[in-house]
Structures are given as C-alpha cells and as structure tokens.
Amino acid sequence: MAVVDRSRGARLGALARYTALGVAAALFLVPFYLLFRNALMTEAELTSPTWHLLPSWRWENFTLLFSDPAVPMARSLLNSLAIAITQTLGVLVVSGLAGYGLARIPYRWSNLVFYAVTASLLIPAAVTFVPSFVLVSSLGWVSTLRGLIIPGLFQALATFLFRQFYLGFPKEIEEAAFIDGLGYWGTFWRVVVPNSGGFAAAIATITFIGSWNAFLWPLVIAQDSEAWTVQIALSTFLTAQSVDLAELFVAAVVAILPLLLMFLFLQRWIVEGVERTGIAGD
Amino acid sequence: MSAARRAPPWRRRLLGRQNQNLWFWVFVGPFFAGLVLFIYVPIAWSAYLSFFEAYNTVSPTRMVGFANYTDMLGDPNFRSSLTTFLVFAAFIVPTTFALSLATAVLVARTRVAQAFFRSVFFLPTACSYVVAALIWKMSIFSGVRSGLANTVLGWFGAESVPWLSVTNPPWYWLVIVSARLWLQVGFYMILFLAGLQRIGPHLYEAAAIDGATGWKAFRHITFPLLRPTSTAVLLLLLINAFQAFDEFFNILSSFGTYPPYARPPLVYLYYTALGQGQDFGHGSAGAIILTAVIAVIAVAFNRLFVREAD
C-alpha cells in the first residue's frame, strides 16, 4: 500500500515538475517567437490592434533592410564580425600566454603582477569607461576599429581563468619537453597549446559572445556610422524619432542569427565550455 | 636556451636565471602592458581629472580641489542614481539567484527532455541586451493595443497600460526587470547545474534512508554543498547589476533624451561625461565615487560570504 502511495506521489511530483518546466519554457520562447513573427510582418500587421498568430511571411523585409541606404546594416555586420573575431583570437593569445607565464614561470614579482590582475577584476570594466574614453580619444582612436578592438584585448578574467587552468595542467608533459631542449616558448607552443584545445574553445566562445553583444564601449567609441557595430545600429534605430518597425525587427533577427545558429548547433559544447571554465567556484 | 647549455656552468646559471625573468615578461608582458595602459592609467588619469574643472578637455589647468566630489555627492540626481542601483540590485540579485537555482534543480531532476529544457532556458544568453530591449519595448510591452501584454490584458477585458510612459505605478520596472531575468537566468542555471553535478548521488541515497527527501534533502544537502557556486553566482550577479546600462538605455531613452527617473549610475555618468557638456571633471569624480562604493560592497561581501565559508 505504502509503495503504491509513494509511486503515486512521485508521479504527481513529476507531473507538477513537468508542468512548471513546460510553462516556463513556453514563456522563455515567447520573445523569440515574437521576434521572428514580427520580422516577417507588414507594417500594417505590426500596428494592427487585432492579434496575428502568424505573420504574412513577408520575406522581402530582408531585401528591403539591406537595400535601404539610410541603414548601414551590411557595414555594421562586417564591423561586428571583424571585431568579434580579432578580439577572440587576440584574447586567446594574450591571455593564454599571460596565464601560462603566471602559472609556470618562477619570477620574484610574479605574485605582485597576479595581484594587479585580480584587483582589476574587482573594478567593473564599465566604471572605467569615462577615463578609458578620455585615453582612447587622446590617442585619436575614436570611430576606428583600433579603438573598438584593442582595449578589449586585455581581459583580466580570461587571464585569471587561463592561469587556473595551467596550474592544473599535468607537469610531467612539460618536464619531458624541457628535457628535450624546448625552452618555455617551445614547450608552450608545441606541447601545452595542442593540449589546451577544449579549454581555449570555452574561453573563445565566451569572448566571442561578449564581443558580439557588447554595447557600452562601442556606443562610446563608434560615433560615426561607418564604425557602428550591429548592436549600435540596432540601438540607433530603436531610439530614433520615427521607427520603421518591420525593418527594426528584421535587423534584430539579422543581429542575433549568427549567435543563435552557433547556440543551436554547438549548444552542448558551449554549455560544457561554460561549466569547464570553472567561473563558478571550483 | 641552447646558448645557455653551451656556456660554462657559472654563466649558464646566470643566463638561466636571467632567461627566466626575461621569459616571464615575454609571456606576461603584452597582457600586463595592456592592463596598465587601458585599466590602471585611465583610473589614475580619472583620479587626476576629478580634481580639475574639465569641460571638453582632458588636459585641464584649473584645479578645483574636492569641489567635483562635493558637487556630485550633493547632486540629488547622482544620489538618486545610487538609490536606483540599490533598489534594482536588492530585487534583481536575489530573484535571479532563486529562479536560476530553481530551474537548475528542476532540470537536474528531469530525465525526459532534459537537454531540451536546458537549451530553451540557455538560449536567451545568445541575445544581446539591445535585442531584448527591442522585443520588450516594441512588442511585449509596447503601450499600444498591438503589444503582447496589452493584448493579453484585452482578453480579460482590461484596459491597455502605457507600460513605459507612466511613473505611477512604475510599470517600467516590470519591463526592465523581466528583460534582465530572461537574459540571465539560463546562464546562471548552467552554473548551478555544474555545481549540482558535483554533489555525489550517494549523499542523497544515504539521506533518503534517514527519511530526508524533497525539501529536507535540498535544505540539508544540496544548498550547503552548493555554497562555492552560490557565492560565485551572487558575486557575478552583483557586479552585473552594478554595470546595468544596456537595457535601461535602450528601453527608456528615445531620440537622445532619457527620462529623469530610473537612471542607474552608469547611465547618469554617460550623460554627464559624454553628453553635451563633456564634463570630464564631474564624470571622473562620479566614477571614482562609484569605484569606492563597489570596493566597500566587495569587502562587505567577502566578509559576509567568503570568510564564513572557510
């Protein structure tokens, strides 16, 4: 009798759990549904007070967006892509090297340098945006790709995580390489780097997402429309005086499509990456 | 290194040690130089500027002492931006924490379609705040009849609500907070899921024998053992709340103007330092005050959560 009761209770519990998850999942998908529906609607449908469950599948919205001379969408996409790719590769090299150096090369002031890295973690990067803007503008980098890319290459968090990762890297492999006469440089590139693929991929993913979605820094630096990133282009339309709604939603779809596809196809790998970096307490 | 090997022993040792110092800077140097140039120099420069009158210039000549600081602290707008942050953080940090943990626990206990649920909750992480702001402002909470929220209200015979243009009641908070929850919950859920996986199933089995299941098991096993993850998540949420800018700016501003309410500190500083006046003196003083506030919170957080765990 008790066994039956418990299994009925368990079944009810499972039912409640699935209902809760199902409702939450539906709510989480609503914004995506709205985004794609609106992107394929006409202006009239978008402003009509009656609810349209499905759009009229107006695919021309996409060609209209890219042929609108007032909207530098193609240029913004190229900028975003260039920035995200260079920043990702740059962070991998710069932080990978620094993390390895901090973890493995004995040096008298090593700890002091490491404190400087961790202390800067506590200062939210956004708080320094005023002085950083002052610096970058005095270098003459406003509205240039340099100004958008270079300050983002020095990520204390990535360096910190790389250091943690290399501290746990099996030392025997490196010692063997050292005995074979490879110095720090050779050991790093020929032995350590080929064995840190998974971890580097995780850092790369996080950096790419952060770079693609960055807003405050590009807003401050990209003042000419030629230097706009996708996010700035979107934000400019969103806060403009008159908004072409259909174009706005198509632009938003174009802006999230690269990351969305990445998430759908590489989902498992990205999730493992986030877990693997050990951001949350290991 | 090969030169060192061919050299006599005393020289090799010297060279070797020198090499080590040299190699440290070859590896760490590029990063460290960038860190100094783009983080520490701006902070120092900012500290310097904060004592000057600096409109539209970064090489000012008129020193004003602590006037910028007293101006900022006496400025009701700046103070209200700090209050805005505190109210916002006091709500968003615990709410995101609880929702992420709840979803993680539910997803972890699910056998069927676990990957599906995980994906759905994680998917918003792909979206930027700008895209979310766009959907929230223009589609869900648009003040007109065609918005989703007003459509749903209409089904129940209720009047349309102008979500973003009234301050009493402050519906805009609902808009801002729900957007951030949608964007963040999935990411922190993943962190909690990773934490949950590290708790061995034998603990739950042992607890079940003692009669502790469900809430009791969560209270006495899951929650205490999740402590490292919880601490990290809280800290990350707090830092993120402090940097709130994107959704406020994109949801509330229109055509270059921002309403006088709901200005978190970064929005306020943005308009002070980079708006029309380019007031770098006051902007820098504000940035330094903010940094100090963050430092105080970080130390308090450390005392409260990290020390206690050791």
Side-chain angles (χ1 to χ4, degrees):
Chain A
M1 198 61 205
V3 174
V4 175
D5 273 353
R6 197 191 298 160
S7 79
R8 186 181 295 159
R11 236 179 283 153
L12 274 177
L15 187 70
R17 199 163 64 233
Y18 276 104
T19 315
L21 280 174
V23 170
L27 281 176
F28 264 67
L29 287 175
V30 163
F32 288 110
Y33 153 70
L34 287 173
L35 179 62
F36 285 98
R37 185 200 68 150
N38 294 359
L40 297 168
M41 276 177 145
T42 61
E43 193 78 22
E45 283 176 304
L46 275 166
T47 48
S48 115
T50 50
W51 185 254
H52 296 265
L53 196 60
L54 291 175
S56 56
W57 309 105
R58 204 158 162 266
W59 296 101
E60 310 93 274
N61 281 350
F62 283 89
T63 44
L64 283 176
L65 172 73
F66 283 100
S67 58
D68 184 345
V71 181
M73 201 61 200
R75 181 67 194 257
S76 307
L77 271 173
L78 278 179
N79 285 342
S80 279
L81 211 59
I83 294 168
I85 290 173
T86 26
Q87 267 183 349
T88 305
L89 293 176
V91 165
L92 284 185
V93 174
V94 170
S95 287
L97 280 172
Y100 186 76
L102 285 167
R104 282 288 194 262
I105 306 178
Y107 174 62
R108 200 196 302 175
W109 306 110
S110 178
N111 270 341
L112 206 63
V113 173
F114 183 60
Y115 287 141
V117 176
T118 43
S120 78
L121 274 178
L122 279 181
I123 309 159
V127 170
T128 60
F129 82 90
V130 175
S132 299
F133 169 76
V134 168
L135 179 93
V136 167
S137 69
S138 64
L139 290 171
W141 288 1
V142 171
S143 287
T144 63
L145 280 181
R146 259 173 310 174
L148 288 162
I149 293 170
I150 295 175
L153 292 179
F154 308 99
Q155 302 284 347
L157 182 64
T159 302
F160 179 82
L161 294 173
F162 263 118
R163 174 184 172 269
Q164 301 299 100
F165 172 72
Y166 286 131
L167 281 177
F169 197 82
K171 244 186 175 149
E172 300 76 34
I173 308 176
E174 288 162 75
E175 273 160 9
F178 246 97
I179 292 166
D180 288 347
L182 293 171
Y184 284 114
W185 193 252
T187 307
F188 179 74
W189 288 107
R190 290 206 219 152
V191 180
V192 175
V193 168
N195 285 300
S196 5
F199 186 79
I203 298 283
T205 318
I206 293 174
T207 312
F208 192 89
I209 296 170
S211 178
W212 184 269
N213 287 341
F215 181 66
L216 181 57
W217 186 248
L219 178 73
V220 167
I221 294 301
Q223 298 181 344
D224 298 341
S225 63
E226 262 142 58
W228 279 356
T229 64
V230 163
Q231 311 297 339
I232 300 305
L234 266 186
S235 170
T236 311
F237 305 151
L238 181 62
T239 55
Q241 204 161 32
S242 66
V243 186
D244 183 334
L245 276 177
E247 220 166 75
L248 186 66
F249 283 105
V250 175
V253 166
V254 170
I256 68 163
L257 221 47
L259 286 194
L260 216 52
L261 291 176
M262 205 169 115
F263 267 54
L264 287 176
F265 291 108
L266 308 173
Q267 154 90 220
R268 204 195 171 86
W269 194 67
I270 295 172
V271 168
E272 272 170 25
V274 172
E275 291 173 356
R276 194 174 191 150
T277 53
I279 286 176
D282 254 316
Chain B
M1 287 310 270
S2 57
R5 237 185 297 126
R6 263 182 271 111
W10 62 271
R11 245 198 104 197
R12 183 173 14 175
R13 223 186 306 149
L14 193 69
L15 250 183
R17 203 183 295 140
Q18 275 182 342
N19 271 347
Q20 223 160 46
N21 296 354
L22 180 77
W23 280 120
F24 179 85
W25 286 112
V26 168
F27 276 79
V28 183
F31 170 75
F32 192 68
L35 187 76
V36 169
L37 184 63
F38 291 106
I39 306 277
Y40 285 107
V41 166
I43 289 174
W45 198 341
S46 188
Y48 170 78
L49 280 177
S50 70
F51 294 108
F52 285 86
E53 187 184 278
Y55 293 97
N56 272 314
T57 177
V58 294
S59 35
T61 46
R62 220 188 101 169
M63 197 168 164
V64 292
F66 282 92
N68 288 333
Y69 287 90
T70 48
D71 285 353
M72 286 306 266
L73 290 171
D75 179 354
N77 289 328
F78 184 67
R79 283 208 309 257
S80 93
S81 82
L82 291 177
T83 321
T84 300
F85 157 71
L86 289 176
V87 172
F88 177 64
F91 179 81
I92 199 80
V93 172
T95 312
T96 317
F97 183 91
L99 284 179
S100 319
L101 180 56
T103 9
V105 169
L106 283 181
V107 169
R109 293 187 56 187
T110 304
R111 293 285 158 267
V112 186
Q114 186 185 41
F116 167 78
F117 284 121
R118 200 182 57 179
S119 302
V120 168
F121 295 128
F122 189 56
L123 205 55
T125 310
C127 280
S128 67
Y129 277 91
V130 185
V131 170
L134 193 151
I135 304 172
W136 256 246
K137 184 182 186 178
M138 293 303 188
S139 197
I140 301 180
F141 290 106
S142 101
V144 290
R145 200 87 193 106
S146 56
L148 177 66
N150 281 338
T151 302
V152 173
L153 284 180
W155 291 340
F156 296 99
E159 288 293 307
S160 286
V161 173
W163 300 99
L164 291 168
S165 46
V166 286
T167 48
N168 190 30
W171 287 117
Y172 56 86
W173 276 124
L174 178 71
V175 182
I176 282 168
V177 157
S178 57
R180 181 167 276 243
L181 282 174
W182 181 70
L183 283 164
Q184 286 198 332
V185 161
F187 180 79
Y188 294 102
M189 173 199 76
I190 295 292
L191 298 188
F192 276 126
L193 276 174
L196 287 172
Q197 274 166 12
R198 283 193 288 267
I199 303 175
H202 61 277
L203 285 171
Y204 292 106
E205 283 155 22
I209 292 168
D210 294 337
T213 53
W215 172 250
K216 263 191 188 164
F218 176 80
R219 168 98 181 61
H220 295 287
I221 301 171
T222 315
F223 200 64
L225 288 175
L226 267 184
R227 179 118 202 180
T229 312
S230 304
T231 313
V233 167
L234 271 181
L235 189 63
L236 289 173
L237 281 173
L238 204 61
I239 291 176
N240 278 343
F242 229 119
Q243 307 203 54
F245 177 85
D246 300 10
E247 79 267 50
F248 284 87
F249 184 86
N250 284 295
I251 289 178
L252 291 174
S253 80
S254 57
F255 202 53
T257 56
Y258 194 92
Y261 49 86
R263 292 184 173 199
L266 282 188
V267 171
Y268 182 78
L269 284 182
Y270 175 80
Y271 282 105
T272 304
L274 302 172
Q276 304 255 300
Q278 299 245 332
D279 184 352
F280 292 131
H282 284 103
S284 300
I288 300 286
I289 295 171
L290 259 187
T291 312
V293 174
I294 294 175
V296 168
I297 292 182
V299 169
F301 183 89
N302 195 40
R303 283 273 161 80
L304 268 172
F305 293 96
V306 184
R307 290 270 172 79
E308 203 183 304
D310 289 341

